[in-house]
Amino acid sequence: MVLSYSPYSNFAVGACVLYENNNEYLGCNVENVSYGLTLCAERNAISTAIANNEKTKIKAIAIYSPKQTKCMPCGACRQWLSEFASEQGCKIILED
């Protein structure tokens, strides 16, 4: 099950980011009628980490949607991942 607010696309996405200290944070997509204001699951998870005072870098992220096999992060989410990834990079895990 993916928690999500996606009444416009009916396309739920969930994400879990794993940080260098092994802390994990969850996120889900939150849509808006003005579609450009939608918050992706990946950025939601990273924002949750920041709101919880996470100071280490991202080791990995898992992304899941029950509607699509291997749900890839969008360009904005890739930029966020790049911003907060560890020096070794960020492993992206796609589940179906």
Side-chain angles (χ1 to χ4, degrees), residues 5 23 85:
Y5 179 74
N23 286 343

Side-chain angles (χ1 to χ4, degrees), residues 40-82:
C40 296
E42 299 92 312
R43 286 181 280 147
N44 189 331
I46 294 168
S47 296
T48 298
I50 292 168
N52 281 280
N53 201 32
E54 182 60 60
K55 299 295 185 193
T56 67
K57 298 290 187 172
I58 299 171
K59 286 195 313 187
I61 185 167
I63 306 163
Y64 170 77
S65 175
K67 296 239 175 164
Q68 178 177 329
T69 302
K70 298 183 179 172
C71 185
M72 295 293 291
C74 71
C77 289
R78 289 175 191 221
Q79 183 61 45
W80 273 52
L81 290 168
S82 176

Side-chain angles (χ1 to χ4, degrees), residues 20-32:
E20 292 172 323
N21 60 5
N22 292 321
N23 286 343
E24 299 174 347
Y25 301 92
L26 300 176
C28 65
N29 60 321
V30 180
E31 292 183 351
N32 188 280

